[in-house]
Amino acid sequence: MKLDSKIPEGPIAEKWDNHRFSSKLVNPANKRKFNIIVVGSGLAGGAAAATLGELGYNVDCFCYQDTPRRAHSIAAQGGINAAKNYQNDGDSIHRLFYDTVKGGDFRSREANVHRLAQISVNIIDQCVAQGVPFAREYGGLLANRSFGGAQVSRTFYARGQTGQQLLLGAYSSLSRQIAAGQVKMHTRHEMLDLIVVDGHAKGIITRNLANGEHRAWTADAVLLCTGGYGNAYYLSTNAVGCNVTAAFRAYRQGAGFANPCYTQIHPTCIPVSGDHQSKLTLMSESLRNDGRVWVPLDRENCDKDPNDIEEELRDYYLERKYPSFGNLAPRDISSRSAKEACDDGRGVGQGGRGVYLDFGDAISRLGESTIRERYGNLFQMYERITGENAYKRPMRIYPAIHYTMGGLWVDYNLMTTVPGCFALGEANFSDHGANRLGASALMQGLSDGYFVIPYTIGDYLASTGAGVLSPDSPEVKESLDKVKGRIDQLTSIKGKRSARSYHKKLGQIMWEYAGMARNEKGLNKAIGEIQDLRDDFNKELMVPGSGDRLNVELERAGRVKDFLDFGELLCRDALERKESCGGHFREEFQTAEGEATRDDENFAHAAVWEYQGREKIPKRHKEELYFDNVKLAVRSYK
Amino acid sequence: MNLTLKVWRQSGPKDSGQFETHLIEEVSEDSSFLEMMDQLNEQLLENGIEPIAFDHDCREGICGMCSLTINGFAHGPEDSTTTCQLHMRKFNDGDIITIEPFRARAFPVVRDLVVDRSSFDKIIQAGGFISARTGSAPDGNAIPIPKEDADKAMDAAACIGCGACVASCKNASAMLFTSAKAGHLNLLPQGQAEKDARVLNMVKTMDESGFGNCRNYGECSAACPKDISLDYIAKLNRDHAKAKIKNLFS
Ligand SMILES: Cc1cc2nc3c(=O)[nH]c(=O)nc-3n(C[C@H](O)[C@H](O)[C@H](O)COP(=O)(O)OP(=O)(O)OC[C@H]3O[C@@H](n4cnc5c(N)ncnc54)[C@H](O)[C@@H]3O)c2cc1C
Ligand code: FES
């Protein structure tokens, strides 16, 4: 596997412009000769499909939900960053670039991050033009807030529903192209394989979830915009249907998978309430602006009513450990501290896995009505889920898997190591390094979809020329038979255990050994346990009914099977990365005070895994990362 | 708690379907309604019975994928709540709960509790957009928008497209959905250029998709998990009448 990042020449601020100028263009009249497959209709896929359709390409777009508007992007609450500097508070493209590289703990590619910061300003303009109802000031101008520990106010938002509004914007543009006949939308279709011919991506195989039909689709290029793999942990803040299948299938067909061990754990989620739990709900990070995090100082007090625990008997551990950032310490640091407190036996609530987020002080300082105005909807959501009133009693929160920085390796053009197969949005690995800053995923998804791929795909298409594979070709047939075989295999095991029970078990292993803190012994143990679980799955899985119609159990089984394989890859990557950085914390690599120790000498690279075949250990490649514009430094929030 | 569930089963769009009764025990009151359904499905699986199909995804009340008519109410009895956010502590031990798909001519059943709501997408394709070519947008602050207008547009844009409005209307009308979608765009300066065409085309497509007429019963807004106001229906009616008249004279 050759990793050529194709970073353009020139100073960092000119790379993207130079590249746009030197990229080949597809003549407008020729665009209609090209067919493009877009898998996914979230911010990345929706934006890409709409824009490519508008440019004149023939686009087929796929999603597993019943309409493109339900992609998981819809759930994003907080906001989207852009270096507009509308607040005149010292923001700039360079500052956003700098913050993102540093926030990513120096494990991202500088050139990509700079491009993202440059494009961020166009995204807001585009969304406003589409009618996205961003929050406004009384004067009618766009409002901003600061988010995720940034020192400037650069986050644009639409109440607590920013992802929803951005996605509806992309969906409306997509709908316009569907009406114009430029995009054909295929809902309730799940991609189950990538067709690769002579090393180039030439199409995909899908299963129509509504009627069980398998079909091959051929095209000149395939864009995977299929989101993240957080559900490998079973419980996460992701939508229940989020999966790794599309990306994992591409990996099996030769696309390198980068940094699977980079997972982000969000500190403020509602804790697990019991074995019935099917997903975890995020409480917006903005709560930490007014809430104070604490646990009882003494273990004996954990079961006490929190309101009866006196001030001196509380440990405001973030304020104690990080006096300058306090309750606003970055996500990875806050999460780990919560785990430490609970591991120390001082956690609260069900199973001792929770810490308090207390609004008592804020309410006495600002009054309940102000707090209600700021966070009313979140308090309501909390009450709906837990039955508790957070105005009267501190909230209980605990970290949960939220986002995955790892993904398919892509070059500067967003192309994977399989020519013709591109990856956009959360599905690729590119811009966030080892840790993503708040409000940056929405920015990246839209940047990739609206502004990057329309240029970079042209360069690929212009150099390969149009030529769609015939649906009757032997390669297509072979691929289709392989997928059908896999489906038959799942329905014919006829064992006794449900796919969900395997998924739950996998999630427990992953969370225990590859969660907030990892170590060599645990990761080796996890790999062994996952292998055993997979063997059991292949013998004992039960999928009732047949594959020739809607069959939810079959869908789940297919996704779980890929998670079982992928989970092992994630653990392997975590094992080999012998340093702590961003979301990846290895217990062996920390300072005496428990802070992460990065090893720039040996690990300033992206690890890219190449599939070697069943039963074989995949091969680890490296893309060295260079920091010429932001000086390598220790990330300190003390 | 222990419950008796009367659940709709239907093997496919052409099957006539029937209720099935299942007993379920030891349901935690902390679980959500859909987690209770998961538990039922695991129980069915243990007995080798195929699980009940239902739609869901985000499970946090925002994607609009979950549905279900529970004891006669779209998304169940709790106000301003989607089925995925409804929790079992709202029910009592020993309750009998009836669970049906969203019923409407324009939402045919796919299987069990899963329905096809693609007619909503068609309404959007007819005009639920502002034609803004990628890359051609002016600066975001070029047109100031009074906060009040932006807020009103946002109130309408909060619609999650779940279809509870249709399922709860005697006539299965889609006016609340259509009016929220058109209202969001029509309230903004960017949406003015295409306003007339938008309302005419969206309403036409709505009518052609098999939705019933709006008789102002108001059940839609009461069932809406996002509390979309009936005011948007009145606004759509006004905008539609104006557009029709303009059309007559042009
Ligand atoms: C609760 C929550 C809150 C968040 N808040 C913020 C925030 O405030 N700011 C921020 O910047 N980021 C936030 N994020 C992160 C951000 O929302 C996501 O990273 C981003 O939206 C991902 O967009 P995407 O287009 O890459 O993927 P998605 O939106 O996940 O879309 C994936 C698409 O792929 C399709 N798909 C998947 N697999 C298949 C398959 N096998 N076959 C066919 N189709 C498939 C799906 O149908 C879907 O259309 C949040 C995330 C969560 C979970
Ligand atoms: S599952 Fe998304 S709104 Fe209920």
Side-chain angles (χ1 to χ4, degrees):
Chain A
M1 180 176 283
K2 211 176 127 268
L3 299 175
D4 178 0
S5 59
K6 306 223 173 81
I7 299 172
E9 294 297 318
I12 189 97
E14 290 165 27
K15 285 182 192 293
W16 178 228
D17 273 353
N18 292 346
H19 190 62
R20 284 195 291 178
F21 182 67
S22 61
S23 293
K24 290 189 198 119
L25 293 177
V26 178
N27 170 323
N30 279 341
K31 290 207 175 83
R32 67 188 153 76
K33 296 186 185 144
F34 290 96
N35 291 296
I36 299 172
I37 284 173
V38 178
V39 189
S41 62
L43 289 184
T51 305
L52 295 171
E54 189 176 78
L55 285 171
Y57 294 110
N58 294 308
V59 179
D60 282 283
C61 182
F62 299 82
C63 70
Y64 70 75
Q65 293 92 346
D66 65 335
T67 149
R69 60 165 290 163
R70 306 213 201 281
H72 172 60
S73 293
I74 201 124
Q77 303 171 349
I80 177 168
N81 285 334
K84 279 286 196 188
N85 194 29
Y86 282 158
Q87 306 302 324
N88 197 23
D89 59 357
D91 201 7
S92 64
I93 286 170
H94 196 80
R95 188 176 294 278
L96 176 55
F97 160 65
Y98 173 88
D99 287 353
T100 309
V101 171
K102 177 182 172 217
D105 218 357
F106 300 92
R107 290 294 174 265
S108 49
R109 195 189 283 149
E110 275 193 345
N112 285 54
V113 179
H114 197 279
R115 174 175 67 189
L116 176 65
Q118 280 174 287
I119 288 175
S120 69
V121 297
N122 305 101
I123 296 174
I124 301 305
D125 301 341
Q126 181 63 30
C127 295
V128 169
Q130 287 168 345
V132 170
F134 283 121
R136 301 248 164 198
E137 298 165 353
Y138 283 99
L141 301 180
L142 291 158
N144 290 114
R145 60 181 169 207
S146 71
F147 198 72
Q151 284 162 312
V152 290
S153 257
R154 63 159 75 102
T155 304
F156 294 77
Y157 61 101
R159 296 203 184 132
Q161 292 121 276
T162 316
Q164 178 196 31
Q165 294 311 315
L166 297 174
L167 184 64
L168 292 181
Y171 162 74
S172 67
S173 294
L174 177 63
S175 297
R176 182 171 149 244
Q177 295 307 319
I178 295 172
Q182 285 299 123
V183 178
K184 291 197 185 61
M185 187 69 219
H186 310 279
T187 61
R188 292 199 200 268
H189 273 66
E190 183 162 28
M191 165 180 163
L192 294 179
D193 220 339
L194 180 71
I195 303 173
V196 179
V197 180
D198 298 334
H200 283 250
K202 286 290 169 194
I204 61 168
I205 307 287
T206 59
R207 178 167 182 272
N208 179 333
L209 303 178
N211 65 17
E213 188 197 358
H214 291 92
R215 214 197 121 162
W217 309 80
T218 53
D220 295 290
V222 175
L223 275 50
L224 301 181
C225 316
T226 47
Y229 49 81
N231 279 351
Y233 290 78
Y234 184 64
L235 291 181
S236 82
T237 61
N238 288 9
V240 174
C242 291
N243 64 86
V244 75
T245 292
F248 195 70
R249 291 288 136 202
Y251 160 74
R252 283 268 173 103
Q253 294 290 358
F257 206 108
N259 305 327
C261 80
Y262 290 166
T263 49
Q264 180 166 79
I265 294 177
H266 199 292
T268 53
C269 303
I270 301 180
V272 173
S273 69
D275 193 46
H276 55 262
Q277 196 93 29
S278 61
K279 83 152 268 161
L280 294 169
T281 304
L282 177 79
M283 292 269 101
S284 168
E285 196 154 30
S286 59
L287 288 170
R288 290 201 279 149
N289 286 322
D290 285 307
R292 296 180 71 195
V293 178
W294 63 275
V295 289
L297 212 45
D298 305 310
R299 295 188 189 114
E300 308 75 78
N301 284 342
C302 290
D303 294 328
K304 254 197 185 164
D305 184 330
N307 292 324
D308 293 342
I309 302 175
E310 291 113 62
E311 205 52 38
E312 319 76 74
L313 295 177
R314 300 175 174 191
D315 178 12
Y316 294 92
Y317 57 84
L318 286 176
E319 297 171 22
R320 171 170 58 79
K321 291 186 351 195
Y322 306 98
S324 64
F325 275 72
N327 295 299
L328 292 173
R331 292 179 177 177
D332 48 345
I333 290 173
S334 321
S335 296
R336 238 173 5 251
S337 302
K339 176 180 176 345
E340 265 166 38
C342 296
D343 287 349
D344 189 35
R346 296 186 292 136
V348 297
Q350 173 100 14
R353 300 321 279 184
V355 301
Y356 290 123
L357 179 63
D358 196 336
F359 293 86
D361 277 1
I363 289 173
S364 39
R365 196 178 60 237
L366 305 162
E368 190 176 310
S369 64
T370 308
I371 294 301
R372 193 179 295 276
E373 215 167 273
R374 284 188 192 164
Y375 311 110
N377 57 340
L378 293 168
F379 278 53
Q380 195 188 10
M381 177 144 96
Y382 181 79
E383 178 156 21
R384 227 177 252 145
I385 294 174
T386 63
E388 289 173 15
N389 177 346
Y391 296 103
K392 299 274 174 283
R393 187 191 164 94
M395 272 183 188
R396 285 173 298 110
I397 53 163
Y398 199 65
I401 291 282
H402 175 59
Y403 180 87
T404 54
M405 283 76 67
L408 291 171
W409 182 88
V410 290
D411 63 16
Y412 190 74
N413 294 321
L414 304 183
M415 189 149 85
T416 67
T417 54
V418 175
C421 176
F422 295 78
L424 283 67
E426 196 173 337
N428 73 25
F429 89 113
S430 62
D431 298 350
H432 307 290
N435 176 51
R436 175 177 69 80
L437 292 181
S440 293
L442 301 179
M443 168 171 78
Q444 183 222 336
L446 291 179
S447 163
D448 288 357
Y450 284 132
F451 296 104
V452 178
I453 199 71
Y455 284 97
T456 60
I457 203 171
D459 195 52
Y460 171 75
L461 295 175
S463 48
T464 53
V468 171
L469 198 64
S470 149
D472 305 321
S473 62
E475 290 94 342
V476 170
K477 211 179 153 303
E478 191 188 321
S479 197
L480 198 56
D481 287 345
K482 211 170 70 189
V483 168
K484 282 188 192 153
R486 269 207 307 268
I487 295 279
D488 289 343
Q489 192 203 346
L490 291 173
T491 49
S492 61
I493 299 175
K494 301 221 181 296
K496 291 204 157 30
R497 265 182 82 176
S498 69
R500 183 191 299 276
S501 74
Y502 288 101
H503 197 181
K504 261 192 190 171
K505 180 68 203 162
L506 172 68
Q508 281 161 5
I509 299 171
M510 298 295 293
W511 185 236
E512 176 72 24
Y513 302 113
M516 275 182 278
R518 303 152 174 189
N519 62 52
E520 185 178 332
K521 193 161 150 250
L523 288 164
N524 276 316
K525 192 154 180 246
I527 292 173
E529 287 189 13
I530 294 171
Q531 287 168 345
D532 292 345
L533 191 64
R534 196 162 56 217
D535 288 344
D536 195 73
F537 179 95
N538 290 331
K539 285 191 214 109
E540 286 300 326
L541 173 77
M542 168 172 53
V543 176
S546 59
D548 58 1
R549 53 177 171 70
L550 191 140
N551 185 334
V552 282
E553 230 12 64
L554 180 61
E555 289 165 33
R556 191 190 324 273
R559 292 171 190 162
V560 173
K561 190 171 165 61
D562 287 335
F563 277 134
L564 283 165
D565 286 328
F566 176 76
E568 182 179 335
L569 182 69
L570 193 160
C571 292
R572 240 174 239 297
D573 187 46
L575 194 60
E576 292 305 319
R577 186 164 284 279
K578 297 185 174 71
E579 65 162 348
S580 295
C581 61
H584 170 65
F585 188 78
R586 279 284 298 265
E587 285 167 345
E588 301 96 315
F589 308 100
Q590 54 178 316
T591 63
E593 293 101 52
E595 300 301 323
T597 323
R598 228 173 49 213
D599 177 355
D600 293 331
E601 204 158 309
N602 296 302
F603 286 96
H605 61 249
V608 187
W609 295 88
E610 182 183 11
Y611 183 62
Q612 299 288 306
R614 216 168 269 280
E615 311 298 331
K616 293 213 184 98
I617 294 182
K619 200 163 162 196
R620 186 177 189 272
H621 301 265
K622 293 179 197 173
E623 180 200 339
E624 293 298 337
L625 299 169
Y626 302 97
F627 297 90
D628 302 325
N629 298 277
V630 184
K631 253 224 207 83
L632 280 164
V634 176
R635 221 171 125 236
S636 168
Y637 294 91
K638 282 262 169 196
Chain B
M1 57 177 88
N2 300 335
L3 303 162
T4 305
L5 306 174
K6 296 172 87 175
V7 192
W8 186 258
R9 299 293 308 247
Q10 184 172 334
S11 64
K14 296 201 179 87
D15 179 38
S16 55
Q18 73 288 321
F19 279 105
E20 247 175 44
T21 303
H22 296 283
L23 302 180
I24 179 168
E25 290 174 355
E26 288 178 45
V27 175
S28 161
E29 63 165 34
D30 287 329
S31 67
S32 70
F33 197 85
L34 295 184
E35 286 166 347
M36 184 276 292
M37 295 290 288
D38 292 341
Q39 191 179 333
L40 171 67
N41 277 343
E42 289 296 303
Q43 181 181 312
L44 294 179
L45 275 168
E46 267 171 36
N47 298 316
I49 304 173
E50 198 172 338
I52 298 158
F54 59 88
D55 266 331
H56 63 104
D57 203 25
C58 74
R59 295 204 176 191
E60 55 184 74
I62 191 76
C63 75
M65 183 116 175
C66 64
S67 53
L68 306 189
T69 296
I70 302 165
N71 288 341
F73 296 99
H75 288 306
E78 194 179 356
D79 282 347
S80 323
T81 305
T82 53
T83 293
C84 61
Q85 289 281 284
L86 178 64
H87 277 68
M88 294 313 292
R89 67 179 73 85
K90 301 283 163 187
F91 295 87
N92 298 310
D93 187 38
D95 276 0
I96 301 174
I97 306 176
T98 312
I99 306 167
E100 294 169 84
F102 276 2
R103 296 200 191 271
R105 189 151 65 94
F107 291 169
V109 171
V110 180
R111 185 180 174 84
D112 295 340
L113 304 168
V114 175
V115 299
D116 178 356
R117 288 167 284 190
S118 53
S119 42
F120 271 12
D121 287 328
K122 301 233 167 61
I123 296 175
I124 302 300
Q125 286 155 21
F129 48 76
I130 291 171
S131 302
R133 198 169 47 237
T134 304
S136 63
D139 186 85
N141 263 345
I143 319 171
I145 302 177
K147 184 174 184 309
E148 213 176 292
D149 294 354
D151 283 347
K152 264 201 208 127
M154 180 63 211
D155 288 342
C159 165
I160 59 174
C162 63
C165 45
V166 174
S168 59
C169 173
K170 267 197 269 186
N171 285 358
S173 161
M175 267 302 265
L176 191 66
F177 169 78
T178 309
S179 69
K181 294 282 132 192
H184 155 211
L185 302 175
N186 290 349
L187 279 159
L188 295 170
Q190 307 91 301
Q192 297 310 306
E194 293 165 298
K195 182 173 167 185
D196 294 342
R198 173 178 306 121
V199 290
L200 292 173
N201 292 333
M202 287 177 80
V203 169
K204 182 162 169 273
T205 305
M206 176 183 80
D207 290 342
E208 287 167 358
S209 302
F211 293 104
N213 288 333
C214 173
R215 292 265 178 274
N216 292 314
Y217 294 126
E219 292 295 336
C220 50
S221 182
C224 175
K226 300 295 151 184
D227 300 324
I228 304 288
S229 153
L230 291 173
D231 294 350
Y232 294 102
I233 296 188
K235 179 170 164 48
L236 178 61
N237 282 331
R238 275 197 310 274
D239 288 347
H240 190 255
K242 270 191 233 158
K244 253 170 103 176
I245 291 171
K246 273 199 226 163
N247 232 17
L248 275 181
F249 289 101
S250 67

